[in-house]
Amino acid sequence: MSTADKLIGEAGRLIVNAGYNGFSYAHLAERLGIRKASIHHHFPSKVDLVVAVVEQQRTVIRQQIAALENDEPDAMAQLLAYVDYWKRCIEDQSEPFCLAGVLAVELPALPEDVGVAVRGHFNDLGEWLKRVMALGVRQGAIQLELEPETSAQFFQTAIYGAMVMARAYDDPGKFNFVVDAFLARMRTDRS
Amino acid sequence: MSTADKLIGEAGRLIVNAGYNGFSYAHLAERLGIRKASIHHHFPSKVDLVVAVVEQQRTVIRQQIAALENDEPDAMAQLLAYVDYWKRCIEDQSEPFCLAGVLAVELPALPEDVGVAVRGHFNDLGEWLKRVMALGVRQGAIQLELEPETSAQFFQTAIYGAMVMARAYDDPGKFNFVVDAFLARMRTDRS
DNA sequence: GTAGATCTACCTTCTGGTAGGTCGATATAG
DNA sequence: CTATATCGACCTACCAGAAGGTAGATCTAC
C-alpha cells in the first residue's frame, strides 16, 4: 500500500475519533512513523488531505452501492446489507462513526472545499436510499404510505441518529437496538 | 448579565458551531471585547469553561423538564413542546444544534471531565423521555407495542439524527420534516 | 542521472496558560 | 467624613509548545 493510501486511511481514523480540528499533521506523522514534511509532499495542505479522505470514501461507497444494486435485486436485502455493514463497524469499533457524519456536525466551521465533499457524500447516500425505497415499495416490502423521499430521509436520520446515540452512551449495542426498532416501523409484514 | 454568564453563553454558541477544538480563548475574547487573560480569571482552564457551559445547559433543561412535567399532564403535548423548542431554534438558527450533541460526536477526543458532563445530559434527557413514553402509553397516545425505554431511545435518535440531517444538507427545514415523520409513526390515532 | 520520496531545519501564527500590575468599588478605622 | 486596606475584574506582557507550512539537502530506485 502506498504512503498516500496509508495517510488517507490513518487520517480517516483520526478524523472519525476527533474531527477536523482534533487531529494534526504531527499526530498523523507519528502514527505512520514518518516526518510531518513528508505528509506535505503527498498532500500540500490539510484541506487537500481531508478532501482526499472524504472523496476516497465516497468512491468506495459508490462502488459498494453499485455492486449492491447489481447483485441484490431485493430492496430490503440491500438495506439490511448496508445496516449490517455499520453494525459490524460499530460493534468492533473499527469505524465507530461515519467520517462524513463527524465532519457534517462541524460543517459550519470547515473549509468550503471540505464542506462540498461532505455534502456530496450525503447526497450520494440520499439518492441511493430514494431508489431503494421506491424499489421496496414496488416489491411490497416497505410501507407505501410515504413518498420514497420521506422513507429515505427517515432511514438516513435513523442511521446517523443511532451513531450519535452509540457514541453518547458509549455503548455500541445502542446502534443495533435503535436501528432495528426503526426497520421494524418501516417494513410491511411481507418483508 | 455577569461576564461569566456572557462567557458561558458565547462559548456555547461557538462550540455549537465548531466543536471543542474549533474555538479558542482568543475567539471568545474577541467576541466579548475583552482580553484572553480575563477569561482565565473566570474559568482557569478551557475544561473548566466547557464543563460550566454543559452544566449550565443541563440545569436549564432540567428546570424546563420539571416545569413541563408539572404543568402539562398530557404526554404527547410534552413531547410536542420539546420538539417545538428545537424546531424554532433550528429554523431561526439561534441554536442550530444541541451543544451536548456536538460534543458527543467528539467524545472520544474530549477531556474526561467534559465527557462526564455530556453523558450526564444524555442520561437526563433519556430518563425524562422514558417517563413521558410510559405516561403516553398509559394515556393511549403512544403505541404500546414497545417498552417505554425503546420508544424513548427511538425518539432521542430521531431528534439527534434530524439535527445531523439539517446540518449536513444545510437545510433547517429537514429537521421539521424528518421529526414529524417520526412522530407520525409513534402516535396512535388517539393523539 | 534524474525523479520521487523522505529527511532536517526552520518559520509564523495560534494555542492554552501565567505573572504581575491597574483600576474602581466597597469596607473599615481613625 | 476622610484615609486606607481589601477585593474582584480586568489589563499588558509574556511563555512554551503545537499548529500548518516551506526550503533545501539527501537518499533510493530505475
Side-chain angles (χ1 to χ4, degrees):
Chain A
M1 187 160 58
S2 75
T3 301
D5 288 339
K6 282 187 216 159
L7 282 168
I8 287 178
E10 197 61 37
R13 258 158 267 152
L14 291 175
I15 293 169
V16 165
N17 258 311
Y20 183 87
N21 291 305
F23 91 104
S24 68
Y25 271 35
H27 294 141
L28 194 47
E30 199 192 350
R31 289 279 193 112
L32 268 88
I34 62 176
R35 305 291 132 178
K36 264 192 338 167
S38 309
I39 305 178
H40 284 285
H41 173 71
H42 297 280
F43 303 99
S45 79
K46 194 180 182 180
V47 172
D48 295 325
L49 170 60
V50 175
V51 168
V53 173
V54 178
E55 290 298 347
Q56 194 254 14
Q57 288 240 345
R58 278 182 78 183
T59 302
V60 169
I61 291 168
R62 271 195 301 246
Q63 284 168 356
Q64 289 173 333
I65 286 175
L68 211 49
E69 289 190 305
N70 240 352
D71 304 345
E72 179 54 69
D74 184 63
M76 186 52 71
Q78 282 187 38
L79 285 179
L80 289 177
Y82 173 74
V83 166
D84 279 344
Y85 168 80
W86 278 113
K87 280 185 180 175
R88 275 196 304 277
C89 287
I90 291 170
E91 190 128 40
D92 68 14
Q93 294 284 293
S94 62
E95 194 186 345
F97 213 102
C98 166
L99 173 84
V102 173
L103 293 173
V105 172
E106 304 180 293
L107 249 193
L110 295 184
E112 186 48 31
D113 290 353
V114 178
V116 169
V118 169
R119 277 185 229 110
H121 163 81
F122 273 84
N123 265 318
D124 293 347
L125 191 59
E127 289 300 316
W128 168 60
L129 286 173
K130 257 192 267 181
R131 292 195 298 275
V132 185
M133 295 302 169
L135 181 63
V137 169
R138 269 180 270 135
Q139 294 176 340
I142 289 168
Q143 295 180 9
L144 35 55
E145 312 140 17
L146 299 166
E147 299 290 314
E149 168 119 29
T150 306
S151 294
Q153 288 184 28
F154 183 75
F155 183 82
Q156 213 176 347
T157 301
I159 295 289
Y160 285 92
M163 284 178 190
V164 174
M165 293 289 282
R167 191 156 258 196
Y169 284 98
D170 195 21
D171 174 10
K174 215 133 218 167
F175 181 82
N176 294 23
F177 183 76
V178 157
V179 165
D180 286 339
F182 273 89
L183 282 171
R185 279 180 168 71
M186 224 176 52
R187 299 166 101 149
T188 61
D189 295 336
R190 302 250 305 277
S191 60
Chain B
M1 187 159 58
S2 75
T3 300
D5 288 340
K6 282 188 215 157
L7 282 167
I8 287 178
E10 198 60 38
R13 258 159 265 152
L14 291 174
I15 294 170
V16 164
N17 257 309
Y20 183 88
N21 291 305
F23 90 103
S24 69
Y25 270 35
H27 295 141
L28 194 47
E30 199 192 349
R31 290 280 193 110
L32 268 90
I34 62 175
R35 306 291 132 178
K36 264 193 339 169
S38 308
I39 305 177
H40 285 284
H41 173 71
H42 297 280
F43 302 100
S45 81
K46 195 179 182 180
V47 172
D48 294 325
L49 170 61
V50 176
V51 168
V53 173
V54 178
E55 290 299 346
Q56 194 255 12
Q57 289 241 344
R58 279 183 77 184
T59 302
V60 169
I61 292 168
R62 270 197 300 246
Q63 285 167 355
Q64 289 173 332
I65 286 176
L68 211 49
E69 289 191 305
N70 241 353
D71 304 344
E72 180 53 71
D74 184 61
M76 186 52 71
Q78 281 187 39
L79 285 179
L80 289 176
Y82 174 73
V83 166
D84 279 344
Y85 168 79
W86 278 113
K87 279 185 180 175
R88 275 195 305 276
C89 287
I90 291 170
E91 191 128 39
D92 67 15
Q93 294 284 294
S94 62
E95 193 186 346
F97 213 102
C98 166
L99 173 86
V102 173
L103 294 172
V105 172
E106 305 180 293
L107 249 192
L110 295 184
E112 185 49 30
D113 290 353
V114 177
V116 168
V118 169
R119 277 185 230 109
H121 163 81
F122 273 84
N123 265 317
D124 293 347
L125 191 59
E127 289 300 317
W128 168 60
L129 286 173
K130 256 192 268 181
R131 291 195 298 273
V132 184
M133 296 302 170
L135 180 64
V137 169
R138 269 180 270 135
Q139 293 176 341
I142 290 168
Q143 293 181 9
L144 35 53
E145 313 139 19
L146 299 165
E147 299 289 314
E149 169 118 30
T150 306
S151 295
Q153 289 184 28
F154 183 74
F155 183 82
Q156 214 176 347
T157 301
I159 295 289
Y160 285 93
M163 285 178 189
V164 174
M165 293 288 282
R167 192 157 256 196
Y169 284 96
D170 195 21
D171 173 11
K174 217 133 216 168
F175 181 83
N176 295 23
F177 183 76
V178 156
V179 165
D180 287 338
F182 273 88
L183 283 172
R185 279 179 167 71
M186 224 177 52
R187 297 166 101 149
T188 61
D189 296 335
R190 298 251 306 279
S191 61

